[in-house]
Amino acid sequence: MAEPVATPHGGWNIAADDLNELDHLARVSEFRARVDSSGGPDACWPWIAQSRHLFGYGFMRFEGQNTVPAHRIAYVVAHGLTLADIRCQMILHRCTEDAYRNNCNNPDHLMAGTQAENIADKKIHGTMPSGERHHMGRRYSDSLIAELRERYWRPRGKRPTITALAAEIGAPIGVVSRWLKGASRPEAGGPASPGHHNRHGARGVFLPWDLPGSL
């Protein structure tokens, strides 16, 4: 069968820049196919593909990176930017409907901000993973942490060391120390202090370094 177009002298030559641009356009088209924008310009645009991060964000391969959050893609596409342009920025959601705050890809609902602004925004809207909702919390349950506090602050016999408790459950020593003091995971329950006299004679809280052999 004859070729529909004659091969040019010297063979075909496609510029690499053209291929990069074609790949970019294909990725943008793929992204738009995975977002439901049928609600119009004012509505939230949810991610409708199966790929999702642990915290609910959709993701896909984009600009050579494998798991780019969908809302970051939405932002750079809308503003003619690249992922490198927003490397040090967080992309915050401004949605009025909290149900879509981690699943909206409408660029009109997105804004660039700092990590501190992002954390404050998540706390206000209740989307900051904490306790058993956090990926670490799913590994270390509230009941386990309450049990550790009980064993440490109200021991029956010799008090276990923080090092021993950390080794027992496979958690970092510093993390277990913060759990025991109630500095993190306060919602887990259990005692966060022994409730007796400290070394200065005042009734209050012992800190781990007040206890011999605690570390």
Side-chain angles (χ1 to χ4, degrees):
M1 179 181 292
E3 294 186 13
V5 178
T7 302
H9 180 70
W12 294 102
N13 183 20
I14 302 176
D17 287 346
D18 293 341
L19 291 177
N20 291 335
E21 179 63 19
L22 287 173
D23 179 71
H24 176 75
L25 293 175
R27 296 293 177 183
V28 171
S29 178
E30 179 183 356
F31 166 75
R32 288 173 174 159
R34 296 183 178 192
V35 171
D36 180 7
S37 59
S38 61
D42 297 327
C44 287
W45 295 358
W47 182 255
I48 56 176
Q50 294 296 316
S51 54
R52 289 188 184 279
H53 286 295
L54 289 175
F55 302 141
Y57 301 113
F59 71 85
M60 61 173 279
R61 181 174 176 79
F62 195 79
E63 293 184 6
Q65 301 180 35
N66 287 328
T67 56
V68 183
H71 62 293
R72 294 182 71 81
I73 299 175
Y75 187 87
V76 298
V77 168
H79 294 278
L81 303 172
T82 68
L83 294 177
D85 294 328
I86 61 168
R87 181 182 296 114
C88 298
Q89 293 179 295
M90 305 300 295
I91 303 302
L92 284 60
H93 287 84
R94 301 186 297 176
C95 311
T96 56
E97 298 182 49
D98 285 348
Y100 287 105
R101 290 191 68 80
N102 280 11
N103 190 30
C104 178
N105 303 282
N106 183 342
D108 289 341
H109 293 186
L110 304 172
M111 63 178 289
T114 65
Q115 174 71 347
E117 290 171 332
N118 190 43
I119 291 174
D121 183 69
K122 287 184 176 182
K123 287 181 177 179
I124 290 173
H125 293 92
T127 56
M128 170 68 78
S130 61
E132 292 184 337
R133 293 173 53 210
H134 193 275
H135 66 281
M136 284 284 283
R138 285 191 284 273
R139 184 176 176 186
Y140 304 106
S141 66
D142 287 349
S143 60
L144 173 62
I145 294 173
E147 178 190 343
L148 295 178
R149 287 172 176 162
E150 190 74 28
R151 290 170 58 191
Y152 185 78
W153 294 115
R154 298 173 183 168
R156 297 180 179 179
K158 185 178 180 181
R159 181 192 308 277
T161 66
I162 297 177
T163 301
L165 292 175
E168 179 181 320
I169 64 171
I173 295 173
V175 171
V176 173
S177 177
R178 290 192 293 275
W179 288 345
L180 295 175
K181 293 183 291 182
S184 65
R185 300 291 295 273
E187 75 289 341
S193 74
H196 54 71
H197 295 280
N198 64 25
R199 64 186 176 186
H200 299 294
R203 189 172 182 81
V205 175
F206 270 119
L207 296 177
W209 48 83
D210 292 322
L211 302 169
S214 62
L215 291 175

